[in-house]
Amino acid sequence: MHVIILADYAIADGGAPKVAIESARALAESGVQVSYIHAVGTAGDPLLDHPGIGRIGLGLADVWSQPIHKAAVNGVWNRAAADRLAEALARTARPDSIVHLHQWTKAFSPSVFRAIRAAGLPLVATMHDYFLACPTGVFYRFDTHHACSLKPLSGACLFASCDPRSSAHKAIRVARLMAQNNAIAGWPFDVVHVSDRGAATIAPYLPTAVRQHRIDNPVTIAKGPRAEIAESGRMLYLGRFTVEKGAVLAAQAARMAGVPALFVGEGPAEGAIRAANPEAEIRGWVKPGEVADLIRREARLLVAPSQWPETGPLTLYEAMAVGVPVIGSSMSGAAEKISPLVSG
């Protein structure tokens, strides 16, 4: 078997590329030949340095780093991405090849589906989010700060001011979803849901030809000593700093409870976190291999208070693996992994 893994990035700057990279390494170590094709950047995660993994960078740019007029065109349909991916697939694909798609909205665009389909390759796509159905990918109203219950592309959806950036960005995302729906229409490919919550949220809106499966995300956690939980430990939020992921909510709650807080990551809500809890410590990202030690040393508990139906935050696994209790939102897939009053 030959697995071709596609993701916008070859560095673990979020859950989707992290799973893509760790999956590539695990497959290679089990004897499967892997080709890892990424759209953006030249740097790659050290986990991809394996003789069983061939890495191909397409030299594309993140569409949202471009001026709005270019983002509008490339975000909806990136012709360069389709052409370069088609060329890469022609060079690497074999009769036993399977394409596993993890991330495509940052640079690849929906043109990735047309290129894979034209190559005649079987496709599996993991649902780390909801971009196959929702324009913003999260089923969350950034205007009201509540989960969204509107039918995708309905009249109410089209006119909702729900985008985290602007109405112009919402229009681009709507056009992208329409182009995507056209590219996958009638195509019997496979999707993987990583939580029951994720499956229940998006399944009603997927094309009828799509075959659906339920498989947990793989998580790599090095063996080590259990944490020694101390009263002096802190509430830890680990991840991207955004409102929908509950970063600001965590800051407010920690201040109200009088619990010291540590925020590790980056994101647009950093200023709001500082305003909500001036006493909280904020650090940048840590290397993936340092996450378990960070949790073990410094966390009294870890929180993942998502305000959107997040499919499956990985940090909860990492905390529970070292014996640190967790608090997760019942709105997300996190709740499925928590035993109340046992693990969190």
Side-chain angles (χ1 to χ4, degrees), residues 110-260:
S111 68
V112 67
F113 293 100
R114 184 68 56 82
I116 299 167
R117 194 171 187 177
L121 295 168
L123 170 66
V124 178
T126 291
M127 300 290 94
H128 298 288
D129 44 46
Y130 302 116
F131 280 113
L132 268 186
C134 172
T136 63
V138 290
F139 281 109
Y140 181 78
R141 296 286 300 267
F142 288 90
D143 53 345
T144 63
H145 297 297
H146 289 92
C148 179
S149 59
L150 300 177
K151 182 180 179 181
L153 299 184
S154 64
C157 167
L158 296 177
F159 289 101
S161 301
C162 58
D163 194 87
R165 299 193 182 206
S166 67
S167 296
H169 282 85
K170 170 68 180 292
I172 295 170
R173 295 179 200 267
V174 167
R176 177 178 65 190
L177 181 56
M178 290 178 173
Q180 177 180 280
N181 287 348
N182 182 60
I184 66 175
W187 187 14
F189 64 94
D190 295 84
V191 300
V192 171
H193 301 294
V194 300
S195 66
D196 295 341
R197 168 66 71 182
T201 300
I202 195 174
Y205 307 114
L206 292 176
T208 55
V210 170
R211 297 180 291 262
Q212 303 182 52
H213 311 271
R214 168 68 179 86
I215 306 171
D216 280 356
N217 271 328
V219 180
T220 301
I221 302 172
K223 290 184 178 180
R226 291 176 62 85
E228 295 184 5
I229 308 299
E231 290 295 320
S232 58
R234 293 181 281 187
M235 180 210 81
L236 172 63
Y237 175 97
L238 178 61
R240 184 160 168 75
F241 300 160
T242 63
V243 173
E244 75 275 14
K245 288 180 75 70
V248 180
L249 184 68
Q252 294 169 337
R255 187 177 188 186
M256 291 174 63
V259 174

Side-chain angles (χ1 to χ4, degrees), residues 41-122:
T42 56
D45 191 284
L47 284 178
L48 295 174
D49 296 332
H50 186 281
I53 302 174
R55 185 163 65 87
I56 301 173
L58 301 185
L60 299 165
D62 187 319
V63 296
W64 298 118
S65 69
Q66 302 172 353
I68 186 65
H69 64 283
K70 287 188 177 181
V73 174
N74 291 331
V76 173
W77 196 265
N78 193 333
R79 291 184 182 277
D83 292 343
R84 294 181 193 183
L85 177 58
E87 181 182 349
L89 292 176
R91 294 199 316 268
T92 60
R94 309 184 324 205
D96 61 345
S97 295
I98 296 173
V99 176
H100 194 159
L101 178 61
H102 285 272
Q103 186 186 42
W104 66 92
T105 59
K106 302 292 187 180
F108 273 124
S109 86
S111 68
V112 67
F113 293 100
R114 184 68 56 82
I116 299 167
R117 194 171 187 177
L121 295 168

